[in-house]
Amino acid sequence: MELNNALGMPILTISIFLPTLGAIAIWLLARNDQQVRWGALAVSVATFVVTLPLLFSFDTTTAHMQFEELHPWIRSFHVNYHLGVDGISMPFILLTSMLTVICIVSAWECITTRVREYMIAFLVLETTLIGVFAALDAVLFYFFWEAMLIPMYLIIGIWGGKNRVYATIKFFLYTFAGSVLMLLALLAMYFKAGHTFSILDLMAYPFDFTWQFWIWIGFFVAFAVKVPMWPVHTWLPDAHTEAPTAGSVILAGILLKMGAYGFLRFSLPICPDASQYFVPMMVGLSLIAVIYISLVAMMQKDMKRLIAYSSIAHMGFVTLGTFMFTQQAMEGAVVNMISHGFVAAALFLCVGVMYDRLHTREIAAYGGVVNVMPKFALVMMIFAMANVALPGTSSFIGEIMVLLGTFNADPAGLATSAKWVAIAAASSVILSACYMLWMYKRVIFGDIVHDSVKSMPDISCRELGFFLPLIALVIWMGLYPTPVLDLMHATVAHLVDQVSTSKLPAAELLSAGGSAIMPGGHHPAGM
Amino acid sequence: MTLSSTELLTIPLLPLLASIVVGLFGKRLQNSLSHWICCSGVVVSALLSVHVFLQVADGASFYGNFWTWIVSGDLVVPIGMMIDQLTAVMMITVTIVAACVHVYTIGYMHGDPGYTRFFSYISGFTFSMLVLVMGNSFFTLFFGWEAVGLVSYLLIGFWFKRESATFAALKAFIVNRVGDFGFAIGILAVWYYFGTVEYHEVFAQMPAFLARHYSLGFMDWHVSAITFICLALFVGAMGKSAQVPLHVWLPDSMEGPTPISALIHAATMVTAGIFMVARLSPMFEYSETALAVVTVVGALTAFICATIGLVQNDIKRVIAYSTCSQLGYMFVACGVSAYGVGIFHLMTHAWFKGLLFLAAGSVIHAVMADQDIRRMGQLRSYMPITYITMLVGALALSGVPPFAGFWSKDLIIEAASVRHMGWVSEFAYWALLFGVIFTAFYTFRMFFLTFHNSDRVPAKTKPHLHESPKVITVPLVILAVGAALTGWWGADILNLPGEGGEGFFGHSIFVLQAHNPMLTLEEIELNHSGGIWLEMGALIMAAIGIGLAWLMYYKPSDLPAKVAESFPGMHRFLLDKWRFDELYWRIFVLPARAIGSFLWQKADLAFIDRGIIHGGVIDTIATAAGRLRQMQSGFVYHYAYAMVLGLFGLVTWLMVGN
């Protein structure tokens, strides 16, 4: 097999294992907490620098995997150590390496117990996260996917809030139950497709409809928990609320993206017909996420819980865009994922900044924060506006593209036209403003009513330091998304093509509910 | 002739630059340097706009893209400019009023702790508004639309310590978002049907598009695509331009500082909806339904808000309701296909309404931030310049010749009377005509109660009464001159009834021959067949309104109280503002909260978490595990017994099996 690796060096392997090597070094060498902090920062920055060539040497003209590496791993089961990225996975590796730096900086002062273990957990987590996005072998993917649970479990369980044990167990059970079904799906595919775990081979293998159906279900459970989609979303508000700030940042910024990434990497190309078949269900669940969850978010009394629910609502846009199978909607979904990585991360950091000062997340305990923290109020205003998808911010690009792609889509099997779906999803324009700005009003605006608020100092340089890059990215992607979109054009076009090409023989195609599939294009013919 | 793109780019970018510099470094720049940066930026862009306007009047235009915002598949969203007569009129209106307001702000906001922040906001607003009017696509329109909405939100809540101000800001943003929801859907549909978001490409495709007779349906209900698009976009216009039933945010927006009420909530931002309809006249013209809706909504708003204005006691709220009402007039103009007249009224309104607000601000400044006209009176002797300029504004608003409002408002009413749209134009005509009485009445009620009548100023405010400083009075005088003169100047320059041609707006506004009320009016003019009522109707109504106000409020009298007592229900209803707020609270806010709480407490927590996860999954596992645990009792005889049973079973199975 011809490997496509323009750099000629194992850059993905280095990106994956550098954090873990660094963690080991910190474990062995660092003498005190301060050394641990600086060491972790150095390792995370180094990893970020190492991932940069992925962006700069990326060939945007091809949908092929790039920076590939392939080594046999477990020969008897045909498991390979196969890495590679395309235009969808590569941005997430950079997002991961960037957010990890921010997480480590954000934990600088607020984590004071077991600093060494905390930093090691974060670096190991980074390894597993990059591994998930780089893996092209299903077993390798599964390995990283499951391995990620352990550091995350520890981060919430050890450095979390009062109710952390409950949240941890809930988080673990939900995700673990989901992944068991994914494992079954992987094994089923392995035996059916002639003993291969190669994701690229599985994409090419013509599974018949029944196989696709069950494999799809297996993946769906695993990914739906991770996204999370209604009704398996209730672990997320608990996990977010109890997690330390940096845990929430990485949870919202990266972990949630893995579910949607799974749909794009596995469900769509491997089971195109089943994906088409399940469009109505996915649309329904996505709309529930956008509307139902937004209403729930509005009534939250805890800021972190509110942002957690808002994350679920935004992920509704991602799943909607993913399952519309048009270029715009799918690119919009990926942009939304990246953008949400910045915005939700920043909002959790905002709450963290306030929590560090007052040690409460209750909305009612604040009010009038702008009087004592004007700089912070401005920073949070920017991200609140990004969260309501104001034009000029990255979320607007993502959401409008999903909506345009949805309005223009022509999915089979939907009781009504996709146009009404787009219109229903567009209600997020109103709902997101309701929950976000109402919260902002109660927390930031007004006169000071609680004396405790009076003593809150404005944000420090360190805090400003991790907000500024996020502000720059949100606005840059809002005004000039072209570089990001260019990365994914070829890959998304290829994926749209994959999911629109049935794997079934013609006769079976008809019996599977006539899911004759057309990619979206301009063919308005009424609804 | 093409305009210079450098000059065009400079016009919006100067205020943007000023806004960013002052926003980031305002504290270090000090107040005086900050206001110099912002004022000079906006004044220069106003001068350049005038220059552009003069060139456009000579036939110059511009169309071009500068930037590609989004590309994805066959979606291309460029950012560019389209400058024609319509844009040019909007540009001079926006920048000149903005320049006046900037200068006025130096005096009005003097000593406010948020001084530099305020300047940063209003310069940023000027930039956003210019993007809105100068853009060449639905996306630039939407960008500017949301950006002015953001600045409006920030400025309404400028005095963030006041609960009422932050609530008003939130309300304004959310109500506007309801409109934006419609706008966004309109954009989706435009791209779907036309495959482009640029104005001129969409307009060029209109004939081919109409020939295909697209329609949209939900269940058994069908609507033609053009009507769907126009109505969706119009919902956006209703939000931004405060039309019934989305008008509720505008009166509350008066919580913001007065210069903002003048600039954003009277002269410029709220007119964006009218600009949108006029800009998209090549689309609206082809949907009779959409035009009818525009007309009816405009007429309803003109009437309803005028009636509410009759009883308000807050000087700014009187003017705010008047703004809603006047915006209704402009929409009626667009609805009856007299877009040019609508824009003309927009322009004259910007002058006289900006003037009224700034004059009201001058009054409020003098009486120490009290806005209740019941505690004013006889102020004319203390502040003669404000008195005179406000009189000019009031006469212009009431439609008394030769002041600006007369020319434009009269044309709207005449256009509505000659355009035949069945009951729609009939209703609009009468609603507007009665609106004129109310307008004249509430304007002069406010005016007399403030400057004449009895002196009701509280004793502790008395020593503070004085005329405002020059930075406040000079913009007032400039705007007063505008309010006095733009009427006949505009009627002349814009050449509206069109002497045998398209008038000033040329191809920038598209009107179907059969719709054009201006042609009918011109014919009437030539034949002198209009009759006295068509010519003088509005003027007579205005005279009645002013006369009534004079009777009741010029001198102290018990007439107003008697009238109120004779119609207690009606009086209460108007004081309650037709109970829109109460209605929305009951049918939107409370149910949304109740549903949100229900879904959270009952569906998420009680049903999913406690019901299924705990009750179903975890309890089942726990029970099963409990049973299994009992098997490990630790008693040897239990195990022995089980072993014997097992052995017995195994032997039996082997025997039976073989």
Side-chain angles (χ1 to χ4, degrees), chain A residues 104-121:
Chain A
I104 284 170
V105 177
S106 79
W108 210 259
E109 280 162 13
C110 53
I111 297 294
T112 48
T113 53
R114 299 173 185 272
V115 179
R116 186 187 307 260
E117 288 80 357
Y118 183 87
M119 293 300 177
I120 290 173

Side-chain angles (χ1 to χ4, degrees), chain A residues 208-217 220 267-268 271-284 323-325 410-415 499-504 508-517:
Chain A
D208 66 25
F209 188 77
T210 316
W211 278 90
Q212 284 192 32
F213 183 90
W214 291 110
I215 293 168
W216 196 94
I217 297 268
F220 168 72
S267 308
L268 263 50
C271 313
D273 303 285
S275 297
Q276 300 276 358
Y277 178 82
F278 283 109
V279 163
M281 182 182 86
M282 294 303 287
V283 165
F323 279 82
M324 278 298 136
F325 312 138
D410 188 16
L414 223 53
V499 74
S500 308
T501 313
S502 173
K503 285 185 172 183
L504 309 180
E508 221 183 319
L509 198 78
L510 289 174
S511 64
S515 47
I517 309 108

Side-chain angles (χ1 to χ4, degrees), chain A residues 170 233-234 292 309 446 478, chain B residues 69 72 74 160-161 177 604 609:
Chain A
K170 204 169 173 184
H233 64 286
T234 57
Y292 167 134
Y309 272 109
Chain B
W69 193 8
S72 167
D74 47 3
F160 48 74
K161 287 188 188 182
R177 277 259 151 167
D604 263 26
D609 265 11

